[in-house]
Amino acid sequence: MLRGLMNLFSLCWKPFGPDGENHETNGVLGGGGGTTGGSREGKDRLLWFRDIGKYGSGEFSMAVVQANQVLEDQSQIESGQFGTFVGIYDGHGGPEAARYVCDHLFSNFRAITAESHGVVTAETIQRAFRQTEEGFTTLVSELLGSRPNMATVGTCCLVGVIYQQTLFIASLGDSRVVLGKKVGNTGGMAAMQLSTEHNANIEAIRHELKELHPNDPQIVVLKHGVWRVKGIIQVTLTPAYCITFNHWHG
C-alpha cells in the first residue's frame, strides 16, 4: 500500500515559464538521499513526466500538465531517518508563495524534528507549518514597498509524512488528498479521501469563519452564486490540521 501511495502523489514542478527558465526548486528530489533509479523522463510541450523511479520507502512516478503561462505550483519528496515527506503546494495569484513553502517547509520540519530526537508527531508538522507561515509573512512585510504584489499571492499546502507505521496528513487550503487502494484481487482501485477542503462554499467552513470574525458581517459573501471570503476568494486558510493514521503498513 505504501508503494501505491508514493505512486499516487503527483509531483508537479518541472514545466517551464514563458522565458524557458526552469523553476525547479532545491527541495525537489533533493537532500533526502533519494535516487531516480534510472527512470525515463519526457517532455512534450506543456506535458512533463517521469516514469517509475526509486525513492526512499518505495517507488514513485510523476506527471504535470501546465495550465498557466508560468507554473504556480510546487512539490517535493524527501526521505531520510524520519521516514518519507511529500509536499504539494498549489499556488494562486503567482508562484512566489508556493516556491517559498517548497524551499522552507521541509527545512523547518527537519529542524523541529531534530529537536525531538527524530520523533515525528502531529505537533511537529503543525509547528513547521506555523514557522513557515510566519517566515513568509515577514518576507511579504519586508518587500511590500518594492513588490506589493507579494501581498496578493498564496498557496494551498498538502503534506504527507510516513514515519514508522504512522501516516500523517496535514492540509491548508482546498486541495485534497486522495489515496488509491487496491480492491482485493479484482485489479480495481477504490478512492479514499484523506483530507477535507477549506473552502467558503462548504457550510461548516462559513460557520467557522463567522465564529472567528463575529464583528465582520462581510467575512463571507455570496457573489455570482459562489461563497467567497470578503467576496474575493473561495479558499480559506484555517489553522493547520493534521490527521494521523496509525498502524500504516507498507
Side-chain angles (χ1 to χ4, degrees):
M1 183 180 291
L2 175 58
R3 180 171 298 177
L5 173 66
M6 303 309 296
N7 289 341
L8 286 164
F9 274 116
S10 296
L11 307 181
C12 307
W13 67 84
K14 193 62 176 279
F16 293 75
D19 298 323
E21 62 175 328
N22 186 347
H23 295 304
E24 182 173 346
T25 61
N26 295 331
V28 176
L29 291 180
T35 173
T36 59
S39 60
R40 187 172 67 93
E41 180 179 314
K43 185 176 187 296
D44 180 12
R45 297 188 181 183
L46 298 181
L47 170 66
W48 179 87
F49 69 90
R50 177 172 286 160
D51 283 344
I52 299 296
K54 302 289 185 180
Y55 200 88
S57 302
E59 299 176 339
F60 70 94
S61 63
M62 64 200 75
V64 58
V65 177
Q66 185 170 341
N68 298 333
Q69 187 178 26
V70 175
L71 186 66
E72 296 178 327
D73 309 328
Q74 299 287 302
S75 59
Q76 64 191 138
I77 177 171
E78 308 282 353
S79 187
Q81 293 182 345
F82 61 87
T84 299
F85 176 104
V86 179
I88 299 177
Y89 318 118
D90 180 9
H92 51 263
E96 292 86 358
R99 291 180 192 168
Y100 182 91
V101 172
C102 195
D103 287 341
H104 293 84
L105 179 59
F106 175 71
S107 297
N108 292 335
F109 166 80
R110 185 169 52 186
I112 293 169
T113 302
E115 294 175 4
S116 58
H117 307 288
V119 177
V120 178
T121 65
E123 183 182 2
T124 303
I125 302 171
Q126 289 170 338
R127 285 181 59 195
F129 269 59
R130 286 193 293 268
Q131 189 170 326
T132 305
E133 181 181 23
E134 291 168 359
F136 184 70
T137 301
T138 299
L139 177 64
V140 170
S141 298
E142 293 172 351
L143 298 178
L144 195 58
S146 59
R147 298 181 61 188
N149 67 297
M150 287 288 286
T152 66
V153 301
T155 184
C156 300
C157 184
L158 293 178
V159 166
V161 178
I162 302 169
Y163 171 70
Q164 296 182 352
Q165 296 299 315
T166 301
L167 168 65
F168 297 90
I169 296 294
S171 174
L172 277 177
D174 61 356
S175 298
R176 179 186 296 184
V177 178
V178 178
L179 171 69
K181 181 180 179 181
K182 290 183 178 179
V183 181
N185 296 320
T186 65
M189 299 284 288
M192 300 171 57
Q193 182 175 336
L194 299 186
S195 68
T196 302
E197 296 93 316
H198 303 149
N199 189 296
N201 268 325
I202 300 174
E203 185 176 4
I205 296 295
R206 293 199 299 274
H207 287 317
E208 181 179 13
L209 287 170
K210 291 176 181 179
E211 290 177 356
L212 290 171
H213 305 273
N215 298 321
D216 187 351
Q218 301 297 314
I219 188 62
V220 285
V221 177
L222 185 62
K223 187 174 182 180
H224 305 305
V226 177
W227 287 99
R228 300 177 183 271
V229 180
K230 305 293 288 185
I232 300 172
I233 189 171
Q234 291 177 252
V235 62
T236 69
L237 298 181
T238 56
Y241 74 91
C242 189
I243 304 173
T244 303
F245 298 89
N246 293 315
H247 307 299
W248 182 265
H249 299 290

